[in-house]
């Protein structure tokens, strides 16, 4: 059954974004595609000019580098519109953009799900979500009402193909329809990506003004990734596809590019001559929660390292682009992924660690082990899925040859944080032989979450007479205290980039496939191994083998309290 409320909706602005949701109500069951051919405008449509992205259509270098403009009219359709991602992240992000006046002037937001909701029922659920997930001090009831006025809801059922024609009617029923940007956010299971896009093509909605957002996971391995990308790519041109990674929307991650390329003192030091090694950590204190069914088929490698951590590695290691924008950054990131040294089975045994959390204490409270958290999803004999991964990677190019990159991610860790640490080499000569205190290599800490900012650790002399006493001290940059402006949530920024048509912070297909190609031998070696993941108590920093991975090289992990 499909419902369209007849309540008038005032013109407003809209943005799009999405993610896979485990909520069954968020799944759209797509009816079989009829044998009639799709309209020509709905297949592999390429953007005809930069104007399609909202950028100046001058064709000049200056025009290409200019910031893309927002369109005046946008329809933002979220498949999975009642799911966890939509309610927790996407709709609050759109509210915040509306609050700050950054949405296009004429925007509608259409939620699509299996829930039997009319427009008023959907608005009531969204209102409750905003009051739950938006900071109380940012709730403005006038703006809440304005956002709710932008909302529609469609209930699509697998046995009612007419519902798709009702979506077509809703999207076509607006002034200046021929100038409206359409964003389709696929916050549903990846197996539905292709059928959903095919249906949009059948209805003539996948034209050159359409953009589709794909939330991870984009496949389970290289082959399934290609299947998903082929299915979506049969309908949409690559320029219309936005593969979202919310880590790339974080303020500190974007500031990494500015730190590197807008400050000349760092560039001469940013190489194997002066950098000893790089650490990238994404630690969580939570367990699998309600995602057990998905997580036990994914694991930490697929869920976090293959996408988030490799993307951060790319931003650290990439060469300076001609300018930061559009394809230039993505071209340089691809080169890094292609330069990663492939790992043989012997390398996997020696240079990777996989772990699984057991029972322990988190924040002073008892925490169950992974198999207990899985509940009904636990396989017979227990799960061998990893909840922790640590590994040593190398980028085989002129700049980074010989510099190890240590990557680490895990659930039920002692502290929640994500951080990049660039550790510089020790001074080449001891200039203060009679000094007390350590002479250590400088470290640049780039904190991705929760407190975004940077710290530069330098060695200083303690004040006072009677000799030289050395001590590491930090030069701190906290975004929260340095800048008066609020830092937008990652989804806020990325959704606006979709509306503008700016792909800089999104993954290109060749990036996704290059990452899967590098990860594949690791997953294959683990699958063939009879060794179970190493156990670590919940509330710790992972298995001891993770520390040993660095100790063999004479190094150690940089923990948050160091």
């Amino acid at each position: 059954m499909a419902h369209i409320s007849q309540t008038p909706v005032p013109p407003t602005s809209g943005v799009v974004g999405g993610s896979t949701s485990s909520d069954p109500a968020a799944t759209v069951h797509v009816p079989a595609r009829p044998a009639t051919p799709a309209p020509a405008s709905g297949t592999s449509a390429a953007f005809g000019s930069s104007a399609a992205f909202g950028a100046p259509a001058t064709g000049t270098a200056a025009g290409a580098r200019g910031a893309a403009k927002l369109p005046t009219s946008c329809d933002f359709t979220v498949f999975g519109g009642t799911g966890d991602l939509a309610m927790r992240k996407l709709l609050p992000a759109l509210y915040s953009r509306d609050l700050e006046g950054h949405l296009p002037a004429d925007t509608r937001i259409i939620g699509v799900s299996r829930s039997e909701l009319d427009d008023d029922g959907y608005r009531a659920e969204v209102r409750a979500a905003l009051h739950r997930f938006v900071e109380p001090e940012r709730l403005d009831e006038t703006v809440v009402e304005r956002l709710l006025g932008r909302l529609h809801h469609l209930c699509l059922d697998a046995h009612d193909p007419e519902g798709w024609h009702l979506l077509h009617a809703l999207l076509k029923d607006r002034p200046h329809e021929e100038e409206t940007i359409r964003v389709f956010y696929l916050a549903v299971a990846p197996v539905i990506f292709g059928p959903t896009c095919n249906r949009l093509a059948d209805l003539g909605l996948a034209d050159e003004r359409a953009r589709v957002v794909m939330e991870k996971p984009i496949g389970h391995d290289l082959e399934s990734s290609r299947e998903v990308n082929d299915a979506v790519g049969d309908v949409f041109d690559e320029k219309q596809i936005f593969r979202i990674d919310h880590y790339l929307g974080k303020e500190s991650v974007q500031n990494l590019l500015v730190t590197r390329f807008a400050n000349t003192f760092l560039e001469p030091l940013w190489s194997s001559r002066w950098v000893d090694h790089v650490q990238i950590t994404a630690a969580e204190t939570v367990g699998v929660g309600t995602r057990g069914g998905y997580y036990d088929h994914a694991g930490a490698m697929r869920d976090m390292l293959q996408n988030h951590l490799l993307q951060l590695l790319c931003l650290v290691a990439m060469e300076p682009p001609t300018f930061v924008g559009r394809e230039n950054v993505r071209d340089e990131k691809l080169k890094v992924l292609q330069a990663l040294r492939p790992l043989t089975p012997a390398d996997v045994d020696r240079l990777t660690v996989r772990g699984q959390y057991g029972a322990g204490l988190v924040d002073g409270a008892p925490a169950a082990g992974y198999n207990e958290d899985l509940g009904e999803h636990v396989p017979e004999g227990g799960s061998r899925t990893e909840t922790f991964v640590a590994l040593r990677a190398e980028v085989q190019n002129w700049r980074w040859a010989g510099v190890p990159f240590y990557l680490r991610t895990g659930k039920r860790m002692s502290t929640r944080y994500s951080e990049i640490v660039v550790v510089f080499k020790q001074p080449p000569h001891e200039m203060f032989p009679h000094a007390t205190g350590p002479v250590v290599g400088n470290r640049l800490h780039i904190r991705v979450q929760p407190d975004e900012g940077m710290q530069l650790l330098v060695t200083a002399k303690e004040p006072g007479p009677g000799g030289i006493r050395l001590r590491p001290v930090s030069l701190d940059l906290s975004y929260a205290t340095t800048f008066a402006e609020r830092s937008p949530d990652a989804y806020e920024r990325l959704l606006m980039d979709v509306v503008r048509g700016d792909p800089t912070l999104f993954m290109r297909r060749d990036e996704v496939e290059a990452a899967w190609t590098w990860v594949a031998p690791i997953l294959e070696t683990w699958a063939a191994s009879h060794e179970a993941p190493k156990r670590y108590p919940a509330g710790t920093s992972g298995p001891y083998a993770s520390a040993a991975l660095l100790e063999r090289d004479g190094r150690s992990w940089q923990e948050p309290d160091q």
Side-chain angles (χ1 to χ4, degrees):
M1 178 178 294
H3 301 288
I4 299 182
S5 170
Q6 299 304 311
T7 306
V9 178
T12 48
S13 69
V15 195
V16 51
S19 156
T20 308
S21 170
S22 58
D23 183 355
T27 303
V28 179
H29 289 272
V30 185
R33 188 179 182 188
T36 55
S41 63
T43 59
S44 299
F47 288 119
S49 70
S50 60
F53 285 101
T58 61
T60 66
R65 299 184 193 190
K69 298 179 181 178
L70 280 172
T72 58
S73 178
C74 178
D75 280 337
F76 184 79
T77 303
V78 184
F79 292 95
T82 58
D84 179 70
L85 178 74
M87 293 296 182
R88 183 168 48 89
K89 289 292 185 181
L90 303 185
L91 290 162
L94 294 175
Y95 164 83
S96 290
R97 293 300 87 205
D98 203 357
L99 176 67
E100 298 185 17
H102 293 161
L103 287 182
D106 180 13
T107 295
R108 298 185 303 177
I109 304 167
I110 300 104
V112 177
S113 75
R114 287 170 36 186
S115 298
E116 295 276 349
L117 294 171
D118 59 11
D119 286 358
D120 289 340
Y122 188 52
R123 290 168 186 158
E125 291 203 0
V126 173
R127 180 193 298 276
L130 294 178
H131 280 81
R132 181 179 178 188
F133 296 114
V134 175
E135 304 95 317
E137 63 274 14
R138 288 181 55 78
L139 278 175
D140 182 320
E141 287 303 322
T142 300
V143 182
V144 170
E145 290 299 325
R146 188 166 68 216
L147 184 80
L148 296 179
R150 302 176 185 274
L151 296 178
H152 290 276
H153 181 265
L154 283 176
C155 174
L156 297 185
D157 189 279
H159 304 290
D160 185 10
E162 296 263 335
W164 290 92
H165 297 286
L166 292 173
L167 175 63
H168 173 269
L170 180 59
L171 292 176
K172 292 287 187 179
D173 183 19
R174 60 141 55 244
H176 309 295
E177 181 273 329
E178 69 283 354
E179 300 173 2
T180 301
I181 295 297
R182 299 193 190 100
V183 179
F184 299 104
Y185 203 113
L186 304 180
V188 291
V191 294
I192 305 175
F193 287 3
T196 301
C197 292
N198 287 336
R199 181 60 65 192
L200 295 173
D202 291 341
L203 297 174
L205 297 174
D207 57 18
E208 68 278 358
R209 290 175 288 113
R211 292 153 192 174
V212 62
V213 185
M214 297 165 61
E215 184 78 36
K216 76 175 183 72
I218 302 175
H220 190 73
D221 52 20
L222 179 60
E223 181 180 358
S224 59
S225 171
R226 285 173 172 163
E227 290 174 358
V228 171
N229 281 312
D230 284 345
V232 177
D234 283 344
V235 175
F236 292 97
D237 186 82
E238 178 64 27
K239 293 180 180 180
Q240 297 173 276
I241 301 172
F242 292 77
R243 298 172 188 85
I244 198 166
D245 183 337
H246 70 275
Y247 263 54
L248 298 185
K250 293 183 179 294
E251 193 71 52
S252 54
V253 174
Q254 294 181 72
N255 199 54
L256 172 59
L257 295 177
V258 177
T259 300
R260 284 196 58 192
F261 303 134
N263 297 286
T264 56
F265 80 97
L266 269 181
E267 179 57 26
L269 306 178
W270 210 261
S271 71
S272 60
R273 183 176 180 184
W274 299 108
V275 174
D276 180 78
H277 69 281
V278 178
Q279 301 181 16
I280 302 176
T281 297
E284 301 176 275
T285 56
V286 298
V288 293
T290 60
R291 300 173 68 226
Y294 155 74
Y295 194 90
D296 201 52
H297 288 88
M301 176 65 82
R302 293 181 174 91
D303 188 52
M304 290 291 293
L305 196 143
Q306 181 269 339
N307 39 73
H308 299 327
L309 268 63
L310 285 185
Q311 285 292 309
L312 296 182
L313 184 154
C314 288
L315 294 177
V316 172
M318 63 184 274
E319 293 297 318
T322 307
F323 61 91
V324 174
R326 300 203 175 273
E327 300 304 322
N328 300 318
V329 171
R330 305 204 291 184
D331 288 343
E332 297 302 333
K333 287 196 297 175
L334 177 63
K335 293 175 186 177
V336 174
L337 292 169
Q338 293 172 334
L340 287 172
R341 184 172 75 85
L343 299 185
T344 66
D347 291 330
V348 173
D349 292 338
R350 185 171 55 92
L351 301 177
T352 72
V353 175
R354 55 178 177 147
Q356 184 185 101
Y357 68 83
L361 291 175
V362 176
D363 295 330
Y370 175 68
N371 281 280
E372 291 75 22
D373 279 349
L374 284 180
E376 64 181 12
H377 299 293
V378 65
E380 185 177 352
S383 173
R384 290 167 55 90
T385 297
E386 79 283 353
T387 63
F388 176 96
V389 175
L391 58 79
R392 184 187 194 273
E394 290 186 23
V395 179
Q396 294 184 312
N397 61 17
W398 187 280
R399 181 185 292 265
W400 295 110
V403 175
F405 286 75
Y406 299 102
L407 279 58
R408 174 177 61 162
T409 184
K411 289 189 173 295
R412 285 293 189 212
M413 304 276 279
S414 58
T415 307
R416 174 185 173 265
Y417 75 105
S418 296
E419 187 175 60
I420 302 165
V421 184
V422 180
V423 181
F424 294 90
K425 291 182 177 180
Q426 295 272 14
H429 173 61
E430 187 176 340
M431 296 289 293
F432 308 99
H434 302 296
T436 59
V439 178
V440 298
N442 304 124
R443 302 195 306 265
L444 177 62
H445 292 249
I446 303 165
R447 181 62 64 90
V448 177
Q449 65 180 18
D451 302 316
E452 294 180 293
M454 291 192 297
Q455 289 181 315
L456 179 62
L457 272 292
V458 300
T459 301
K461 174 189 175 294
E462 286 192 19
I468 296 179
R469 293 180 297 276
L470 304 178
R471 188 176 73 179
V473 296
S474 65
L475 308 178
D476 295 346
L477 167 63
S478 168
Y479 298 145
T481 58
T482 302
F483 302 105
E485 297 84 0
R486 166 185 172 269
S487 290
D489 176 78
Y491 277 103
E492 294 178 42
R493 177 176 292 104
L494 294 173
L495 295 182
M496 297 305 294
D497 282 351
V498 174
V499 174
R500 290 188 178 93
D502 184 350
T504 304
L505 298 177
F506 298 83
M507 293 180 290
R508 208 165 56 196
R509 173 172 180 162
D510 49 8
E511 284 184 75
V512 175
E513 295 187 358
W516 276 121
T517 298
W518 187 75
V519 163
I522 304 174
L523 293 171
E524 291 167 1
T525 303
W526 286 351
S529 172
H530 298 293
E531 184 178 351
K534 301 183 185 303
R535 300 276 285 186
Y536 63 97
T540 65
S541 297
Y544 170 73
S546 169
L549 178 67
L550 274 70
E551 288 172 358
R552 290 198 301 266
D553 296 339
R555 304 179 175 101
S556 61
W557 290 108
Q558 299 295 321
E559 304 296 350
D561 56 350
Q562 292 180 324

